[in-house]
Amino acid sequence: MDGSYGHQEIRDVRARKVIQKQYFFPGGEEPVDTDRAARELRTTVRTRLQDEIARLQLEHPDPIPVRWSPSGQPVQPSLEALGIEDWSVLHGDVTQVPEFLRKLPRHQLVVLGEPGSGKSVLALLLAWNLLKRWRPGDEVPVLMPLSSWRPTVPLRAWMVRYVRELGLGPDRARALFDENQVMPVLDGLDELPPDLHARAVAEIDAAVADGRPLLVTCRVQEYRTAVREQGRHLTKAACVELDSLTPDEAIAYLRRSAVAGETRWDPLYAELRERPGTALAATLSSPLMLHLARTAYRSPATDPAELLTEDLAGDRAKIESHLLAQYLPATFAPPAARRFRADRARRYLTTLARQMGRDGTHEFAWWQIDSPVTAVVVALAFGCSYGWFLTLLFGAWKGVFAGLLTGTTGFFVHLWVRERQQHVHVTEDVVRGPRGVLRQYAALAWLSALLVGALTGAAVGGWLSTVLDEAPRRPVLGFSLFVGAAAAFATLVSSAWGSYHVSRGWLSLTRRLPWRFWTFVDTAHGLGVLRQTGAAHQFRHLRVQEQLSGSTRPSSRSVYSGRRTAAGWKLLLPALPTAAQTLVALVWLVLTGAISLGNGIGEDLRYRSGDRPQVNVDFCESACATNATTWTWHLPPGGSRRTVTELDETDGAAVAQWNGGVSSHGCPGSRIEVTLQLGEHPPVSFVQRPDGLEPMDAKAPLPKPLPLADEPVTITLRRADGEPCEASLSWVGAGVRRDGMEPVRKRFGVSGP
């Protein structure tokens, strides 16, 4: 506004002469007509502001005359830095903003105020009034919400992008800033993360160091903290603070808004005049509450005197709650919110408020959206995915057990991390907004899912290829891909991003949240119901949150993660729940495979014919699962024995190994040749010396699992020594073990390794 503030002659010359300014970019790009671009920007911005002013009814009949005075906080630059002689010039009201800004030599202003004091309305009216008086050559005031900016992006680049998104294109937007034809009106410095306030102030100060006109709004406490803790302030901007309304100002506003001769408000006027120190007067000293009072009692059928009843009188909190009940219907009334009716908006916001009340927070983030149904879905995802392929490999009972184990683990891990808010690690200095963090965790979820899916599929495929060396590669590869995909799906659903979408989908189906969730959040933010603070949102007015949630319990924690967590754990923490769930599933898979591969179901041998061995049964009590049967043969010098046995149950199952252990005793120098033959399969032989009990499967390993139907098992013993003493051979646990991998082999058409 160099033209409009201090350079009137230049502005008049610009207005009288038709000067087509052309801005040339380095490198030979096409020139930009900045005068035309400024006119188009002014038209676009004015249309938007006109709709917003109509929605808020700021000119029906007049804006609330909020006054300001010099800030009493230690945030004010010196008189010399501001270029003024005394503080008396820093007084005025919202109807005088353009003239007031013109009087300031630096043309820069910071407006501070409490919630509901009218900061955003003041910024809106400033831009609107300047646009109404705009002439060619003036800067175009553009209202920009600071909640979407992060100091990691240069302020100028962010402002250029904001103007570009208004329809000007990158070259024209850049040219307007280079020609100093845009005035930033930055609303909501306090909506940035608290730890970024000081950095933001420094960045703003640097961006307007050349004297560019500027207006910034912020809450009092947040700006004071930034100045006190970091020593950062806008060095050329005057700081004013919005004052509360007096009873006379409130009465004057209500009179202007009422129909001539209307008497409904008279008892209220009398109360405010006669008792200016009451709770009612304190409530109506807030521009927000005064606006709500006017809105709530606009209809001639209503009676404002009910604010004086015994139920409300003397209690400011009750009066505010009563007026806030009209807040959402008034805010979401058409045409301001065509997409969301007031009743639906209230239902959606009630869901958000209750989630905040459940978690004990005063902020709301997307990762707080959680429904108990999500834990069930996570359990089913893990249980069905891992139980499914174990059922295909090893049978129903192992699959069901695996499903119950992994599903239960997934269920309780999900509940634990959601209750403790451990699935997302975001600190207050986050440089991304809510959707930026959501995109970050979407990428993390997909990467985790792909990693888990690849590892699980590779592990299963490698294991199957090892134990089934004759299996066709294509079926094994296909099965491994399906297993990996199922594991990836379970991982994706259990991630923070996946759980958010499951919960949001369920809450949308039950009509507690809208399908277009972010559109609704943007609408509520644009209407002033919500305010953004970093990656989270807050209700702009705490009383609205309390009223919707039905609780006044103070918040006990923040949605942001603790700062003490080491930086290296920042991205690992969200992956830990998934890692725990996946680890349990993989451990069970490996354990099942190992047991099935090396230790199938045991089958005892039963005597059929030939030399009958001596049988001893050691009865188990509590230390073992089954009784141990020992068969003993006595062999004289040069003697032999032949015993034919059979299995208790023969259903065509394959035998993978011998069970139990073998030992020789009675003759120290004896050597007993043992031959074992399963049906018509080639026999296996070994020589047993009196060396103690040895595993039978190690002494006579089977080359591969051998099928055995009704065929006998023949045991042949022969002395292979010349010792004169009698020797004995004992087989403890005489029997065989079936092939635990048989279901797997059958599935892939493999008879054995």
Side-chain angles (χ1 to χ4, degrees):
M1 284 183 187
D2 291 341
S4 58
Y5 297 142
H7 294 78
Q8 184 70 32
E9 297 82 2
I10 296 177
R11 190 190 67 185
D12 292 340
V13 169
R14 288 176 176 172
R16 288 194 302 268
K17 295 182 179 180
V18 181
I19 303 176
Q20 294 296 321
K21 294 187 296 182
Q22 292 185 337
Y23 186 86
F24 292 87
F25 290 98
E29 288 106 331
E30 292 294 325
V32 174
D33 184 350
T34 53
D35 283 340
R36 181 177 179 180
R39 288 194 297 271
E40 291 182 8
L41 177 62
R42 182 248 184 182
T43 301
T44 301
V45 174
R46 176 167 177 162
T47 300
R48 293 193 174 199
L49 295 185
Q50 190 172 21
D51 293 341
E52 183 69 5
I53 287 175
R55 179 186 70 81
L56 296 175
Q57 298 183 340
L58 296 180
E59 297 186 342
H60 297 275
D62 296 306
I64 298 175
V66 181
R67 294 172 291 104
W68 68 70
S69 56
S71 176
Q73 305 294 332
V75 297
Q76 194 78 257
S78 64
L79 291 173
E80 293 79 6
L82 296 177
I84 59 178
E85 297 182 357
D86 58 66
W87 302 114
S88 61
V89 300
L90 301 183
H91 290 272
D93 62 52
V94 293
T95 63
Q96 305 167 342
V97 185
E99 295 79 6
F100 175 73
L101 198 59
R102 183 181 297 115
K103 293 178 183 177
L104 294 176
R106 310 300 187 194
H107 313 316
Q108 295 180 6
L109 181 66
V110 176
V111 178
L112 306 178
E114 299 299 333
S117 60
K119 302 181 296 298
S120 296
V121 169
L122 184 146
L124 177 64
L125 290 175
L126 167 67
W128 173 246
N129 289 326
L130 289 177
L131 286 173
K132 287 196 298 185
R133 306 173 188 182
W134 185 87
R135 285 191 258 176
D138 291 353
E139 290 87 350
V140 179
V142 180
L143 185 62
M144 305 178 186
L146 271 172
S147 58
S148 61
W149 173 56
R150 293 295 178 273
T152 52
V153 179
L155 178 65
R156 184 182 182 283
W158 174 78
M159 292 190 295
V160 169
R161 184 172 63 188
Y162 190 90
V163 172
R164 182 188 67 194
E165 292 173 353
L166 294 176
L168 260 69
D171 291 344
R172 305 174 80 197
R174 192 155 30 109
L176 287 178
F177 275 93
D178 288 342
E179 287 292 293
N180 205 22
Q181 289 195 251
V182 175
M183 173 188 174
V185 181
L186 304 177
D187 184 30
L189 175 64
D190 52 283
E191 296 196 20
L192 289 169
D195 284 359
L196 296 184
H197 290 166
R199 290 173 57 189
V201 170
E203 184 80 8
I204 295 171
D205 196 45
V208 297
D210 58 354
R212 184 188 301 270
L214 172 76
L215 183 133
V216 179
T217 68
C218 186
R219 290 187 179 184
V220 178
Q221 180 61 38
E222 281 78 354
Y223 193 75
R224 180 178 62 188
T225 300
V227 175
R228 183 178 67 246
E229 294 183 356
Q230 300 293 333
R232 299 286 191 178
H233 70 287
L234 296 178
T235 55
K236 298 179 182 178
C239 291
V240 298
E241 197 167 329
L242 298 181
D243 299 329
S244 299
L245 297 171
T246 64
D248 290 338
E249 290 170 337
I251 292 173
Y253 172 75
L254 293 173
R255 282 190 179 280
R256 290 197 304 272
S257 304
V259 178
E262 192 172 35
T263 61
R264 292 183 302 124
W265 292 89
D266 289 350
L268 199 70
Y269 298 157
E271 176 73 10
L272 291 175
R273 289 195 189 98
E274 296 171 7
R275 303 175 62 187
T278 61
L280 177 64
T283 301
L284 298 184
S285 67
S286 164
L288 171 66
M289 291 298 163
L290 184 62
H291 169 72
L292 292 181
R294 173 202 170 194
T295 303
Y297 297 103
R298 180 183 292 115
S299 171
T302 60
D303 184 10
E306 68 183 17
L307 294 175
L308 306 176
T309 60
E310 293 183 1
D311 292 341
L312 300 178
D315 192 329
R316 180 173 181 175
K318 288 185 177 181
I319 297 175
E320 289 182 352
S321 295
H322 178 76
L323 294 176
L324 284 171
Q326 310 298 322
Y327 175 64
L328 295 180
T331 302
F332 282 89
R338 298 182 181 90
R339 295 182 177 180
F340 304 99
R341 296 204 313 259
D343 57 337
R344 294 181 180 177
R346 183 181 182 86
R347 184 167 67 245
Y348 303 152
L349 292 170
T350 298
T351 299
L352 301 185
R354 288 177 177 173
Q355 299 264 315
M356 297 164 71
R358 176 203 62 191
D359 296 334
T361 66
H362 62 278
E363 305 127 332
F364 175 79
W366 59 264
W367 57 86
Q368 287 180 275
I369 296 179
D370 184 52
S371 168
V373 173
T374 307
V376 177
V377 173
V378 170
L380 289 174
F382 273 97
C384 292
S385 59
Y386 287 94
W388 164 72
F389 68 78
L390 283 173
T391 298
L392 294 179
L393 290 178
F394 300 110
W397 75 270
K398 290 183 179 178
V400 170
F401 189 86
L404 290 174
L405 177 66
T406 56
T408 303
T409 302
F411 180 83
F412 285 106
V413 168
H414 174 86
L415 292 182
W416 183 80
V417 297
R418 291 306 180 274
E419 194 279 330
R420 298 176 64 87
Q421 297 292 310
Q422 294 292 320
H423 54 307
V424 171
H425 185 85
V426 177
T427 56
E428 290 182 343
D429 59 351
V430 60
V431 297
R432 294 180 176 86
R435 289 190 228 194
V437 174
L438 180 60
R439 286 191 292 270
Q440 178 188 17
Y441 275 83
L444 184 63
W446 281 99
L447 286 175
S448 300
L450 290 174
L451 180 62
V452 170
L455 291 177
T456 304
V460 172
W463 178 70
L464 288 175
S465 299
T466 300
V467 300
L468 305 176
D469 55 356
E470 296 180 7
R473 292 187 177 181
R474 187 181 296 275
V476 170
L477 178 60
F479 184 79
S480 302
L481 289 176
F482 276 114
V483 169
F489 173 76
T491 301
L492 192 64
V493 170
S494 68
S495 68
W497 178 83
S499 297
Y500 154 75
H501 280 288
V502 172
S503 294
R504 188 174 67 83
W506 174 254
L507 293 173
S508 298
L509 281 173
T510 54
R511 303 178 65 186
R512 285 175 284 176
L513 282 181
W515 287 107
R516 296 171 296 176
F517 174 71
W518 289 109
T519 301
F520 173 73
V521 171
D522 290 341
T523 300
H525 181 267
L527 295 176
V529 178
L530 300 177
R531 61 191 296 267
Q532 184 178 324
T533 57
H537 285 85
Q538 295 176 347
F539 279 88
R540 190 172 294 274
H541 308 291
L542 181 61
R543 295 301 306 280
V544 175
Q545 175 189 340
E546 293 175 348
Q547 187 178 67
L548 292 175
S549 66
S551 171
T552 58
R553 180 168 61 100
S555 58
S556 58
R557 60 178 176 175
S558 171
V559 298
Y560 294 108
S561 304
R563 296 184 161 278
R564 296 181 181 178
T565 304
W569 286 87
K570 184 173 182 179
L571 292 180
L572 291 179
L573 277 176
L576 289 181
T578 296
Q581 293 163 328
T582 304
L583 181 62
V584 169
L586 288 178
V587 166
W588 173 246
L589 173 64
V590 172
L591 184 62
T592 303
I595 293 175
S596 299
L597 180 62
N599 194 16
I601 299 174
E603 289 286 348
D604 290 334
L605 293 177
R606 182 175 59 189
Y607 173 78
R608 180 172 175 179
S609 63
D611 297 312
R612 182 182 293 274
Q614 178 183 342
V615 180
N616 294 319
V617 179
D618 295 331
F619 292 97
C620 277
E621 294 181 357
S622 59
C624 56
T626 60
N627 299 327
T629 302
T630 302
W631 289 8
T632 302
W633 292 267
H634 303 285
L635 288 85
S640 64
R641 296 285 185 267
R642 186 174 184 273
T643 303
V644 179
T645 65
E646 60 186 2
L647 297 180
D648 280 344
E649 297 181 8
T650 57
D651 53 4
V655 173
Q657 65 185 42
W658 303 103
N659 194 27
V662 62
S663 66
S664 174
H665 51 88
C667 187
S670 66
R671 289 186 301 137
I672 302 175
E673 183 181 17
V674 181
T675 301
L676 303 175
Q677 184 175 17
L678 288 166
E680 299 299 326
H681 298 293
V684 291
S685 300
F686 64 93
V687 175
Q688 179 67 29
R689 291 180 171 85
D691 297 328
L693 188 67
E694 298 178 80
M696 180 64 88
D697 63 306
K699 299 291 290 186
L702 296 178
K704 62 179 181 179
L706 303 175
L708 188 67
D710 294 328
E711 300 170 290
V713 179
T714 302
I715 306 168
T716 303
L717 309 177
R718 184 180 65 84
R719 289 286 295 270
D721 61 85
E723 297 295 327
C725 51
E726 183 181 75
S728 299
L729 186 137
S730 297
W731 185 357
V732 180
V736 297
R737 285 201 172 273
R738 295 194 179 193
D739 180 17
M741 293 294 294
E742 184 177 18
V744 181
R745 301 187 201 283
K746 285 184 177 179
R747 174 167 184 78
F748 291 98
V750 178
S751 60

